[in-house]
Amino acid sequence: MEMNVNATAAPARDLSVTLSGVRLQNPVIPASGCFGFGYVMAEYYDIDCLGSISIKGTTLNSRFGNPLPRTAECPAGMINSVGLQNPGVDKVVEVELPKLREVFHQPIVANISGFSVDEYVEACRRIDGAEQVGIIELNVSCPNVHGGGMSFGTSCESVAEVTRAVKAVTTKPLYVKLSPNVTDIVSIARAAEDAGADGLCLINTLLGMRIDVKTRRPVVANVMGGFSGPAIFPVAVRMVYQVSKACSIPVMGCGGVSSARDVIEMMMAGATAVQVGAANLRDPYACPKIIKALPEEMERLGIDRLSDIIGCV
Amino acid sequence: MTNIAHKLRVAENLRLTSRTWKMVLEADHEGIITAPGQFVNLEVEGKFLRRPISVCGVDGRRITLLYDVVGEGTYEMSQWPVGYVADVLAPLGNGFDPSRSGDSPLLLGGGIGVAPLYQLARELVALGRRPVVILGFNTADDVVWEEEFRQAGAEVYVATVDGSRGTKGFVTDVPACTDPARTYFYACGPLPMLRALSDSMPIGGELSLEARMACGFGVCMCCVVQTADGPKGICKKGPVFRKEELIWK
Ligand SMILES: Cc1cc2nc3c(=O)[nH]c(=O)nc-3n(C[C@H](O)[C@H](O)[C@H](O)COP(=O)(O)OP(=O)(O)OC[C@H]3O[C@@H](n4cnc5c(N)ncnc54)[C@H](O)[C@@H]3O)c2cc1C
Ligand SMILES: Cc1cc2nc3c(=O)[nH]c(=O)nc-3n(C[C@H](O)[C@H](O)[C@H](O)COP(=O)(O)O)c2cc1C
Ligand code: FES
């Protein structure tokens, strides 16, 4: 009755993809905030089967985050208002990354947030030096923090400004993670590309809200939060499709992915790699199950090399 | 590495009171639960988030839960027939530490918070300790598991807020609670009760907290509490914390 957690069972087909020169054995990456700093998950399975790992959103200074409750049930998804709880970039580099390094032996994605251009720049500069960081992912879209990430991700000017400033002090490929809470995601994506971004990641959570009808109060203490899970998959596919058609830099697709078929659909829409978020929270084995199912799904669909289907639509 | 995903068969699922149900889940092997006070996280059809429920008792391959039907998820659970195969994450959380109990520990449960104390009481008795259990409920109709605690070998008292059964008031109003012979305490119940105990108990103790959870296994940070050692996830570093660890705001 136990599930098989061995996800590395000899894939006969080529699952590898390359993001700005960083080669991943497969395109499956747990999304930021849904995998902690990775090493806790290594208690449950061998995480070396993953393509990469996007670590919990890290800021220059430590943050406790928002008051509780921080989560709400939704149809085919959930709301979170964690509010970027993290120990700050120095502790992440000195304490968290070395723990992850013992159990994950491939390049990671360092997800960074900030509340001013200077904060982004300083946090990115400090994490850029960590050897295991393969890609820096700028979260310009976290909807949780007042006056924070949200404002950067919603204007072309501020996205361009922070991208340019961080690019100037970092050596690793820089990916900008976009917010879906905008009227024209394509113009924001182009602004990031023009400012020097090496790639893009989309989408972050959609701003949402639930109300407890018995108490007549919002369910999460912060009133609103980020909505994610299977419900947002069509929105993510649409945005990845639009952005990858309009830009020439690689895209990591994210939002509602929970099966091997979703991964393939996201790649057909234009994603080079695919991030899996909330699905990990419902099923801690979501990623190894997807990786294990990918070769079978490819066989069924007549795909020899996964990288062949990127943006084929 | 521990596999925390299990398919467990419902062996019993019955109503005990107007709100509380008992469910027995059967695994195909023993040893899934490793400490008293741990919890499981149950997948419920049609719900994205799992529902966390404490382990009340462990008997070989059988795991007993007590749960209140309070919303759609727990209602759905109450409809599971015998033979239903539940998707369960376990073991989750740290659990109580019976080794700190001393000779005559106090076990304080408020409402459905009595559940995780039962396995603890059994383990304390097995260690030769003399646990004193105080169960607090709103009213006589809500009282559950009193006889089970007694049969486990504990000295049992009941308090009800409306006085319809046992001592009128809260668990702290039962004289056995303040008896200086008590060596340590273990508590699970509503936050105001835990806070009051934390402030008033002159002896050391452990408190089992709850919070709305998304994962239940320590990666999303939806369930954090402030401690002397910085913020900690209730689901992974808890749900049981020592009294001195917690910082109440
Ligand atoms: C570690 C832990 C152990 C628990 N042990 C027990 C137990 O042994 N017996 C028991 O009856 N209950 C227990 N609870 C509470 C139980 O999880 C909730 O009553 C249950 O999730 C309610 O689900 P629902 O769909 O019926 O209610 P809804 O109100 O519809 O649930 C909506 C959402 O809120 C969450 N939620 C609602 N109430 C609570 C609560 N009190 N605590 C945490 N999350 C909540 C649900 O999980 C769900 O995500 C425990 C909670 C935690 C965190
Ligand atoms: C609990 C939780 C915490 C998150 N924290 C972050 C974060 O720190 N930084 C970030 O860029 N995105 C964060 N996200 C967003 C996810 O990385 C992802 O973009 C989003 O949830 C959509 O994917 P999904 O539908 O697969 O969950 C978080 C999401 C969840 C559910
Ligand atoms: S519920 Fe996810 S960390 Fe506790």
Side-chain angles (χ1 to χ4, degrees):
Chain A
M1 282 185 147
E2 303 293 295
M3 69 148 299
N4 181 5
V5 295
N6 177 12
T8 42
R13 285 156 198 269
D14 186 0
L15 304 192
S16 68
V17 295
T18 303
L19 289 169
S20 311
V22 181
R23 185 181 176 279
L24 314 184
Q25 59 182 347
N26 65 62
V28 179
I29 306 171
S32 180
C34 302
F35 218 71
F37 291 96
Y39 55 85
V40 165
M41 294 302 290
E43 293 178 30
Y44 313 132
Y45 68 88
D46 180 2
I47 60 173
D48 251 335
C49 67
L50 301 167
S52 183
I53 292 170
S54 180
I55 59 168
K56 174 63 196 169
T58 296
T59 50
L60 180 60
N61 302 307
S62 71
R63 291 177 52 82
F64 180 77
N66 290 326
L68 270 58
R70 291 179 175 180
T71 185
E73 169 88 42
C74 301
M78 60 175 281
I79 283 175
N80 90 83
S81 71
V82 172
L84 291 174
Q85 181 185 335
N86 79 94
V89 69
D90 291 338
K91 281 250 168 60
V92 168
V93 170
E94 286 157 26
V95 181
E96 307 293 334
L97 295 191
K99 287 194 204 168
L100 175 55
R101 192 182 194 138
E102 283 177 24
V103 287
F104 187 68
H105 304 94
Q106 298 155 72
I108 63 159
V109 177
N111 182 284
I112 301 291
S113 287
F115 305 96
S116 67
V117 172
D118 291 348
E119 264 186 66
Y120 273 109
V121 165
E122 193 50 28
C124 290
R125 198 183 60 74
R126 294 190 198 179
I127 212 157
D128 186 60
E131 200 191 324
Q132 77 213 89
V133 171
I135 288 172
I136 294 176
E137 181 177 76
L138 272 192
N139 172 17
V140 294
S141 47
C142 184
N144 290 334
V145 181
H146 306 287
M150 189 68 189
S151 53
F152 284 97
T154 50
S155 105
C156 294
E157 292 71 32
S158 53
V159 165
E161 186 191 359
V162 70
T163 304
R164 214 175 288 118
V166 169
K167 190 67 197 161
V169 298
T170 50
T171 61
K172 305 287 167 69
L174 180 65
Y175 279 56
V176 178
K177 182 169 176 184
L178 304 180
S179 167
N181 304 310
V182 294
T183 38
D184 181 14
I185 189 121
V186 169
S187 59
I188 307 265
R190 284 206 180 109
E193 181 175 25
D194 292 345
D198 297 293
L200 301 165
C201 174
L202 58 147
I203 56 176
N204 209 311
T205 53
L206 289 131
L207 195 56
M209 177 171 176
R210 294 305 307 272
I211 294 164
D212 182 330
V213 294
K214 280 182 234 156
T215 61
R216 305 185 178 194
R217 296 181 51 80
V219 174
V220 296
N222 204 42
V223 182
M224 287 170 257
F227 177 40
S228 67
I232 74 166
F233 183 66
V235 179
V237 170
R238 185 265 292 181
M239 289 188 165
V240 165
Y241 173 77
Q242 287 180 306
V243 164
S244 62
K245 285 280 179 270
C247 299
S248 51
I249 48 179
V251 168
M252 290 195 258
C254 178
V257 173
S258 45
S259 68
R261 193 167 270 262
D262 292 347
V263 169
I264 288 171
E265 186 171 339
M266 195 65 105
M267 291 182 76
M268 287 180 170
T272 299
V274 176
Q275 297 194 353
V276 180
N280 293 290
L281 308 182
R282 181 185 166 87
D283 179 0
Y285 299 98
C287 287
K289 283 178 182 168
I290 290 172
I291 294 164
K292 186 158 182 268
L294 268 172
E296 299 155 32
E297 198 64 45
M298 286 165 68
E299 189 175 346
R300 208 166 304 147
L301 297 168
I303 302 164
D304 292 329
R305 278 189 357 190
L306 211 41
S307 57
D308 288 345
I309 63 166
I310 297 167
C312 69
V313 173
Chain B
M1 233 153 2
T2 314
N3 173 37
I4 57 169
H6 305 277
K7 300 283 187 200
L8 305 184
R9 194 184 144 273
V10 174
E12 268 180 56
N13 194 11
L14 44 101
R15 191 175 200 152
L16 301 179
T17 71
S18 64
R19 55 187 302 150
T20 306
W21 290 64
K22 169 194 178 188
M23 186 188 294
V24 178
L25 296 169
E26 196 168 62
D28 57 12
H29 64 282
E30 291 185 14
I32 291 177
I33 303 300
T34 54
Q38 287 179 327
F39 65 100
V40 301
N41 215 357
L42 304 164
E43 188 174 287
V44 178
E45 222 184 285
K47 297 291 170 199
F48 187 75
L49 299 177
R50 290 169 181 265
R51 297 301 188 260
I53 302 288
S54 299
V55 171
C56 171
V58 181
D59 300 272
R61 294 184 289 119
R62 289 159 78 94
I63 297 166
T64 300
L65 313 176
L66 295 183
Y67 63 100
D68 280 352
V69 172
V70 296
E72 290 177 10
T74 46
Y75 172 77
E76 184 65 28
M77 282 162 53
S78 72
Q79 302 304 298
W80 291 351
V82 168
Y84 180 87
V85 177
D87 186 302
V88 181
L89 301 183
L92 302 178
N94 55 356
F96 295 109
D97 182 354
S99 75
R100 292 174 192 272
S101 73
D103 238 22
S104 177
L106 193 54
L107 278 56
L108 302 159
I112 202 64
V114 305
L117 301 176
Y118 176 64
Q119 183 61 24
L120 174 67
R122 297 206 292 187
E123 295 190 18
L124 289 169
V125 170
L127 287 170
R129 312 280 190 261
R130 290 174 292 109
V132 174
V133 177
I134 307 180
L135 309 173
F137 298 95
N138 281 323
T139 181
D141 288 343
D142 292 346
V143 177
V144 284
W145 230 242
E146 180 186 358
E147 210 34 54
E148 283 80 356
F149 275 102
R150 207 160 273 139
Q151 274 164 21
E155 183 179 327
V156 184
Y157 300 89
V158 170
T160 50
V161 176
D162 68 0
S164 54
R165 182 73 184 280
T167 304
K168 181 174 163 60
F170 299 105
V171 289
T172 41
D173 294 316
V174 175
C177 183
T178 42
D179 187 327
R182 302 288 93 86
T183 47
Y184 198 67
F185 77 93
Y186 300 93
C188 183
L191 218 53
M193 167 185 146
L194 298 182
R195 171 137 209 201
L197 289 170
S198 196
D199 291 344
S200 69
M201 293 299 279
I203 50 177
E206 296 173 14
L207 305 112
S208 181
L209 304 186
E210 74 174 24
R212 289 201 178 219
M213 295 180 172
C215 68
F217 46 86
V219 299
C220 73
M221 292 301 118
C222 283
C223 68
V224 75
V225 64
Q226 193 58 268
T227 75
D229 199 19
K232 287 187 177 174
I234 290 174
C235 67
K236 179 74 182 167
K237 299 287 176 66
V240 180
F241 293 90
R242 277 178 293 114
K243 188 178 81 171
E244 331 64 272
E245 277 181 283
L246 296 172
I247 297 173
W248 300 90
K249 276 194 297 283

